Amino acid sequence: MIFTDNYSGLFLTAIVLLLAGAAASLALRRGRMGSIASFVPAFGASVLLIAFSVMVITSQSKLQTSDAFWSSIPELSIDLYVDGMSAFFLLILGLVTLAVSIYSIGYCSHYNRDSRSLGFLFNLFVLSMVIVIASNSVFSFLIFWELMSLSSFFLVIYEHEEELNIRSGMMYLIMTHIGTAFILASFLALFVQTGSLSFDSFRNHALPMPHYIRDIAFILAFIGFGAKAGLVPLHIWLPKAHPSAPSNISALMSAVMVKVAIYGLVRTTFDFAAPSTAEDVWWGVTLIIAGSASSIIGILYAAVENDIKRALAYSTIENVGVIVLGIGISAVFQSFHLASLAAFALLASMYHSLNHATFKSLLFMGAGSVVFSTHTKNIEKLGGLIKKMPWTALLFLIGAIAISGLPPLNGFVSEWLLLQSFLSSYHIPSLALQVLISLAGVVIALTIGLTLATFVKIFGITFLARPRSEAAKSSHEVPRTMLAGMAMTAAMCVILGIMPVIATSLISNSFRLDGNQLPQTLSPFAALAAPAGASSNMSPGSLALMLGCVGAFAIGVFSIGGRKTTRRIYSTWDCGFEGLDERMQYTASALSQPIRVIFRTLYKPYSDSEVSYFSESNHYLKKNARVEVYTRDLFDDLFYRPVTRATIAVLDAVRKMQTGKINAYLMYIMIALIALLVYAGVSR
Amino acid sequence: MLESPSLFGYFIGAVQALTLVVLAPLFTGIMRKVKSRTQKRIGASVLQPYYDLAKLNRKDEVVSDQSSWIFRFAPIVILTSTATAAVFVPAFLPSSPFGIAGDILVVLGLFALARFFTILAGLDVASSFGGLGASREMTISAIVEPALFLTIFVVSLNLGGTNLSTIVSASSAQFASGVIILPSMLFALIAFFVIMMAETGRIPFDNPATHLELTMIHEAMVLEYSGRSLAMIQLSQSIKLAVLMTIFVNIFVPAGMSTAAGGAYAAVGVVVFVVKLALVAAMVAFTETRVAKWRFFRLPDLLAVAIASSMLGIIYFYFWR
């Protein structure tokens, strides 16, 4: 395999390292040495991948295999190609893998089971994602796409003693293959036109492609990649599969695998079937509608979820929605030839992809640490962990602030950019679209509000107040390698938050965006500016500096103004009632109750309550009361269940044909033969 | 893109922000006074909030034994972020030199940061009151958000951006040219007024004077605070109110805003600003005495009115631009 450029050594060494890691983890036994053998090569590989992708992006070069690996059959070649777009997603992959592999050393060596297969699959999973992103032909793309799906499937069912995990895994396997089928169909549509399975021919489409072919290719790719990314209504596997996997794998699946699907979507939308005329505007509209629906539905379910990992998984659906929405706005702008606005929206969307990779991996690793220490994913049983696990709590808090889109961390920057691209929608020469985009803006604003509610709840209930169970009381801080992994992503959240120029220049180089909107200097205090025509700007670096100054000034004023005071520790005010205990605190379900009531049409909440009395004749004196609240998944009820039922009914009807009698089968053959002869006769 | 102001410009900007922060408790005092007078009470002096702050700052603190560093750290974060928000807001000059670093979205982001920590502090003390306030606050803030975004949308469409200096200059220039208010801005005004009441926890959303557990929202979250921490939180409440009222008057009622630079203009600007803000404070307080506090689950209806109003503003803008 020969690359035509200089940095290929880094890429190939990374692949070799991942293969070596896979081999080493099978060879070595469990325990600390085993963990080191599996995850240190992955760490090394991710360092190399980061270096490689940064070099490709900054030098604006492209890497391509000069001759196919197995050149005897050109269609079946493993043909690699890395341009800025691939390199950007490789960078995301590298950054997350860097942190997750460090985290995994501690996480897996304490796993009280054989972690050999985990290390093997981990390396294979990362490897397959690398090659999917770098693929340049349908064959290698799909082979490694399938390897990615299968290795992650085995990771989802890694803890296979629990039946629930097997069920989630099966659902994942089915949904991911439906997605793969659509992706294959999309590529075939392009193949029919270009006559080649190489991405080069898709990209260059020598013959001008007819409209309908591009439309078909786009919509099939949208469904296929949408299923993998977890877009509503194809999301149902995601909140089941992500929590079932071990937490380091959840982090990779949520932060990276979903981005590989986004990569596929961006590649097909903008590279293979680029929207260029006003007729293509429905692509963008489709993406906007799907993105808004995913974001609001994802976060609404996350807000009422009490399983920490499932809530994070639902929030991934929300973030994917936000990213797809940005891509959609960009596509709409592009259809109307508003190039710099399209570039700006794509910048916002890709910035959010990068940000989501950092804070979601941080939060999943944090959730993993909580589960590691308390053995429960249910936040109702937690509380007070901030005292037992202070570092985990601090790092998780950084992730929660970042994902809630609060300044001065990175979530705020990408949300600011996205809102600015909403606000520039008045350039679009279509009234209906202007109103549609402002409505999408309302949805996003509600999403942002609910995200804050969700993460305040998750952090507050898990880490603050009194512990609600023995498990929470006896929790302990996690090993240093795990903290180090989280600290890396937390640092990225801060850096991407206060120095957005790093990300904006990387993204504009990767996607060859129209750079005139972006700050040209690398000063951390440079301002981000909205697209031309509107005066809007902000500088996160200066904002952070200002927060520091104002904070110092305020503390100064208050300490000079007052005399020296003391701080007395006393119990929480209990209205003179004596003895507050952990059961009198607000629970997670109680905290999200108003949201459940306001959006009850969606949740259809139902509860299960049980009250016992001191005496059956007097119902005023309650002895015990217990209530459990559940919510329903609308899509399960209204879409998947009917579809499943209908499928089973059809298959039942079909099964009646299979009688087991030879003469019946002979009759079928006879009928088929006659039908074919008639068809042949008619068509001639 | 704005050009970078001179050192003197920054100084003037800092003075402007400091004035806003220092005057903030005064407006809270005026509101309390107006409320008591309309309720046929004499009420405390308008300077009472300053006396309270000075007194609280000298008192010892009692901290719950259940709380963590979040509880102790939160007042500093809350005060810092609300005071920083004041820096970006043009008060009596049509621009703030710090506008290069932040716009109206940043101001609201900083308020959200303060809210995030207030809610966490409420949860941290392990009492039911804190949880109760936290639950209500996070719900209201989530549903305020769409109304807020639409209002910003209308303002940004009409006045050309989200940078506060640009908005305020454009608004006062428009006023100077004889336009009192554009129709679509009128819809935004209605929405913004509702949002302002919700954001600052006034009746009908929340009663800032209550200590009745069943109705309170903000007070429930900060119930455990005492001494200097409480002073910080009360000051931030006042600043938040003053900042939102300043944005309100400067965007929607730009009358009297000095459009030229210079000492005399600035002096006039300060006087006009204080008078206008006092009037708005009186209006808010008067509104509070005319309505009852709404049942919690009816509040989404009120916010839906705000959303609908600003949506009308957008549609009006697009149709009759």
Side-chain angles (χ1 to χ4, degrees):
Chain A
M1 200 180 306
I2 304 145
F3 271 116
T4 50
D5 226 304
N6 323 328
Y7 321 125
S8 52
L10 293 170
F11 184 79
L12 294 178
T13 319
I15 290 180
V16 171
L17 267 177
L18 287 169
L19 286 169
S25 42
L26 276 188
L28 279 160
R29 294 177 56 95
R30 71 170 101 172
R32 190 147 196 89
M33 276 319 288
S35 281
I36 289 173
S38 332
F39 299 113
V40 169
F43 177 82
S46 48
V47 172
L48 293 176
L49 279 175
I50 293 169
F52 167 74
S53 43
V54 168
M55 280 177 172
V56 170
I57 293 170
T58 49
S59 67
Q60 301 240 345
S61 58
K62 284 181 184 140
L63 299 197
Q64 189 160 18
T65 37
S66 58
D67 55 341
F69 191 35
W70 293 315
S71 47
S72 53
I73 315 165
E75 257 61 56
L76 302 183
S77 60
I78 304 261
D79 190 7
L80 300 181
Y81 171 86
V82 179
D83 62 353
M85 195 189 284
S86 316
F88 174 70
F89 284 92
L90 281 178
L91 178 67
I92 291 182
L93 187 148
L95 288 173
V96 175
T97 312
L98 184 76
V100 171
S101 51
I102 288 289
Y103 175 87
S104 301
I105 294 174
Y107 182 76
C108 288
S109 62
H110 291 256
Y111 232 81
N112 51 5
R113 58 185 294 151
D114 192 348
S115 62
R116 277 184 293 181
S117 56
L118 183 60
F120 174 71
L121 289 166
F122 180 94
N123 281 291
L124 216 56
F125 183 39
V126 174
L127 175 73
S128 61
M129 291 193 287
V130 171
I131 302 189
V132 166
I133 295 174
S135 281
N136 196 32
S137 70
V138 173
F139 177 73
S140 65
F141 187 93
L142 285 178
I143 288 286
F144 285 94
W145 181 268
E146 201 52 27
L147 182 64
M148 173 177 91
S149 299
L150 284 179
S151 52
S152 54
F153 163 70
F154 285 116
L155 288 165
V156 167
I157 60 163
Y158 183 65
E159 287 166 59
H160 49 75
E161 345 21 68
E162 280 183 54
E163 202 206 326
L164 190 68
N165 290 350
I166 302 275
R167 291 224 316 257
S168 329
M170 286 317 289
M171 180 178 264
Y172 171 50
L173 200 62
I174 293 167
M175 290 301 292
T176 191
H177 280 106
I178 292 175
T180 311
F182 277 98
I183 294 167
L184 177 63
S186 163
F187 286 154
L188 286 180
L190 291 168
F191 168 71
V192 166
Q193 192 56 35
T194 60
S196 159
L197 283 171
S198 161
F199 283 176
D200 284 334
S201 64
F202 293 176
R203 196 171 291 121
N204 302 325
H205 36 78
L207 311 160
M209 245 191 266
H211 243 284
Y212 73 95
I213 294 270
R214 291 170 50 220
D215 286 353
I216 291 171
F218 164 74
I219 199 73
L220 290 171
F222 166 69
I223 297 171
F225 289 118
K228 193 71 176 180
L231 276 184
V232 166
L234 301 167
H235 67 287
I236 49 153
W237 61 273
L238 201 151
K240 296 191 167 74
H242 288 204
S244 288
S247 298
N248 52 346
I249 305 301
S250 318
L252 272 187
M253 285 177 82
S254 229
V256 188
M257 190 178 79
V258 155
K259 300 301 175 323
V260 176
I262 297 287
Y263 163 75
L265 188 61
V266 173
R267 182 64 92 185
T268 2
T269 311
F270 291 112
D271 207 12
F272 299 164
S276 50
T277 60
E279 280 173 60
D280 297 328
V281 79
W282 69 270
W283 296 10
V285 172
T286 310
L287 291 168
I288 288 174
I289 292 171
S292 329
S294 298
S295 54
I296 189 67
I297 286 167
I299 200 63
L300 275 171
Y301 282 109
V304 296
E305 184 58 59
N306 290 340
D307 178 315
I308 184 167
K309 287 180 75 179
R310 211 179 304 151
L312 290 176
Y314 274 121
S315 135
T316 296
I317 297 175
E318 177 249 315
N319 280 288
V320 164
V322 171
I323 293 166
V324 168
L325 184 64
I327 298 174
I329 294 180
S330 179
V332 167
F333 282 137
Q334 200 140 325
S335 314
F336 290 109
H337 299 286
L338 297 163
S340 69
L341 292 174
F344 190 83
L346 191 63
L347 170 78
S349 168
M350 290 303 114
Y351 204 137
H352 199 73
S353 299
L354 181 59
N355 287 347
H356 178 245
T358 60
F359 48 63
K360 192 47 70 66
S361 52
L362 169 58
L363 291 168
F364 259 119
M365 285 190 276
S369 300
V370 169
V371 177
F372 179 90
S373 177
T374 63
H375 305 287
T376 177
K377 287 192 279 187
N378 185 354
I379 59 172
E380 296 277 38
K381 296 202 169 72
L382 299 174
L385 295 187
I386 195 167
K387 285 153 205 144
K388 305 289 169 95
M389 309 167 73
W391 291 107
T392 309
L394 177 67
L395 295 168
F396 197 94
L397 179 67
I398 292 176
I401 294 176
I403 200 169
S404 303
L406 300 175
L409 297 184
N410 59 353
F412 180 73
V413 181
S414 51
E415 256 156 32
W416 188 89
L417 291 170
L418 194 70
L419 292 177
Q420 290 299 342
S421 45
F422 276 110
L423 295 173
S424 18
S425 64
Y426 65 92
H427 290 285
I428 298 171
S430 152
L431 192 68
L433 279 174
Q434 287 170 340
V435 174
L436 175 84
I437 291 183
S438 48
L439 283 175
V442 175
V443 170
I444 287 305
L446 182 58
T447 306
I448 292 171
L450 286 167
T451 309
L452 189 137
T454 306
F455 284 91
V456 139
K457 172 183 129 174
I458 293 176
F459 181 80
I461 298 290
T462 310
F463 289 98
L464 302 181
R466 291 174 212 253
R468 293 176 177 80
S469 68
E470 277 310 311
K473 261 178 218 152
S474 57
S475 58
H476 51 86
E477 189 56 282
V478 293
R480 280 206 197 108
T481 42
M482 292 170 74
L483 291 175
M486 284 189 272
M488 278 181 195
T489 41
M492 286 181 227
C493 287
V494 175
I495 292 168
L496 289 174
I498 61 179
M499 287 195 272
V501 272
I502 298 177
T504 53
S505 61
L506 268 177
I507 295 167
S508 60
N509 279 332
S510 313
F511 292 85
R512 308 286 158 79
L513 298 178
D514 179 8
N516 61 9
Q517 296 298 332
L518 310 167
Q520 296 299 310
T521 63
L522 276 176
S523 152
F525 304 113
L528 287 170
S535 170
S536 314
N537 53 323
M538 71 126 179
S539 159
S542 323
L543 175 63
L545 182 73
M546 217 174 277
L547 276 170
C549 294
V550 173
F553 183 69
I555 295 172
V557 168
F558 269 88
S559 11
I560 294 165
R563 67 183 175 93
K564 188 158 169 50
T565 55
T566 55
R567 194 172 255 153
R568 196 155 57 93
I569 306 291
Y570 198 70
S571 58
T572 303
W573 167 239
D574 51 12
C575 303
F577 172 74
E578 289 286 309
L580 282 178
D581 71 20
E582 65 274 4
R583 294 179 57 214
M584 296 172 198
Q585 310 173 87
Y586 245 54
T587 59
S589 312
L591 207 61
S592 53
Q593 190 256 359
I595 293 175
R596 214 163 31 238
V597 172
I598 292 169
F599 298 98
R600 61 184 167 272
T601 20
L602 186 69
Y603 298 127
K604 304 241 181 325
Y606 61 103
S607 58
D608 182 8
S609 59
E610 203 177 84
V611 184
S612 64
Y613 304 96
F614 281 101
S615 102
E616 271 310 305
S617 57
N618 181 352
H619 278 196
Y620 288 106
L621 295 174
K622 286 175 187 168
K623 189 175 178 187
N624 268 314
R626 189 185 62 86
V627 61
E628 275 176 65
V629 194
Y630 308 93
T631 51
R632 288 200 182 89
D633 194 318
L634 190 72
F635 292 90
D636 241 17
D637 284 7
L638 294 183
F639 183 65
Y640 285 98
R641 261 167 231 269
V643 167
T644 316
R645 234 177 283 133
T647 313
I648 291 174
V650 167
L651 293 179
D652 271 345
V654 170
R655 203 172 53 188
K656 294 207 178 82
M657 288 173 67
Q658 195 185 13
T659 53
K661 290 176 189 153
I662 301 258
N663 38 8
Y665 295 150
L666 284 174
M667 194 180 73
Y668 297 153
I669 292 172
M670 194 69 178
I671 292 170
L673 202 60
I674 290 170
L676 281 174
L677 284 172
V678 169
Y679 174 73
V682 170
S683 64
R684 203 164 50 147
Chain B
M1 177 77 78
L2 300 169
E3 70 275 16
S4 198
S6 62
L7 206 58
F8 182 69
Y10 282 121
F11 175 72
I12 295 289
V15 169
Q16 175 170 248
L18 204 61
T19 316
L20 187 57
V21 168
V22 169
L23 287 180
L26 175 71
F27 298 117
T28 308
I30 292 174
M31 291 175 81
R32 289 194 195 151
K33 191 78 180 174
V34 171
K35 264 176 106 171
S36 5
R37 297 304 300 193
T38 38
Q39 291 165 346
K40 305 278 184 279
R41 289 187 285 123
I42 302 290
S45 151
V46 290
L47 297 178
Q48 191 60 41
Y50 292 101
Y51 304 150
D52 288 349
L53 288 177
K55 185 77 162 204
L56 282 173
N57 196 29
R58 296 168 56 79
K59 292 247 181 201
D60 285 348
E61 268 185 67
V62 182
V63 175
S64 160
D65 55 352
Q66 298 304 323
S67 64
S68 63
W69 59 267
I70 295 274
F71 183 80
R72 262 150 280 178
F73 190 56
I76 298 169
V77 177
I78 295 166
L79 180 62
T80 304
S81 45
T82 32
T84 309
V87 170
F88 301 119
V89 179
F92 44 86
L93 298 172
S95 71
S96 157
F98 299 103
I100 196 98
D103 61 357
I104 190 163
L105 296 173
V106 171
V107 169
L108 298 168
L110 288 168
F111 286 158
L113 181 66
R115 180 186 300 125
F116 188 89
F117 275 89
T118 317
I119 300 177
L120 286 186
L123 286 172
D124 199 19
V125 293
S127 81
S128 318
F129 294 144
L132 193 141
S135 167
R136 291 172 181 174
E137 174 82 7
M138 71 187 212
T139 308
I140 291 184
S141 70
I143 51 181
V144 162
E145 210 76 20
L148 200 49
F149 176 73
L150 273 183
T151 313
I152 295 175
F153 210 128
V154 180
V155 171
S156 156
L157 284 177
N158 277 300
L159 301 174
T162 57
N163 185 299
L164 276 161
S165 304
T166 315
I167 298 175
V168 172
S169 315
S171 174
S172 46
Q174 206 170 54
F175 185 79
S177 71
V179 184
I180 292 172
I181 190 160
L182 295 166
S184 62
M185 287 294 276
L186 191 63
F187 288 113
L189 183 148
I190 297 167
F192 196 87
F193 192 76
V194 174
I195 292 161
M196 195 166 74
M197 301 298 262
E199 280 276 321
T200 53
R202 318 300 300 186
I203 296 173
F205 289 90
D206 182 13
N207 187 350
T210 187
H211 274 276
L212 184 67
E213 295 82 357
L214 291 177
T215 61
M216 60 191 182
I217 299 178
H218 185 261
E219 286 302 314
M221 287 187 288
V222 301
L223 198 65
E224 282 294 316
Y225 279 111
S226 53
R228 182 170 298 166
S229 302
L230 185 59
M232 285 185 176
I233 284 175
Q234 287 191 347
L235 180 60
S236 359
Q237 261 317 89
S238 295
I239 297 173
K240 185 176 181 182
L241 189 63
V243 166
L244 281 172
M245 288 195 301
T246 306
I247 294 177
F248 181 79
V249 291
N250 283 349
I251 291 179
F252 297 106
V253 202
M257 168 71 78
S258 59
T259 43
Y265 285 105
V268 173
V270 174
V271 174
V272 172
F273 166 71
V274 172
V275 170
K276 276 200 301 185
L277 221 59
L279 282 175
V280 170
M283 193 173 76
V284 169
F286 190 69
T287 315
E288 278 196 287
T289 59
R290 305 318 297 169
V291 293
K293 189 186 167 306
W294 281 29
R295 199 171 90 85
F296 182 72
F297 286 113
R298 274 191 68 203
L299 295 179
D301 303 347
L302 194 56
L303 289 165
V305 170
I307 294 177
S309 177
S310 41
M311 199 68 220
L312 279 177
I314 289 186
I315 291 171
Y316 200 99
F317 177 84
Y318 281 139
F319 269 93
W320 291 283
R321 183 163 20 165

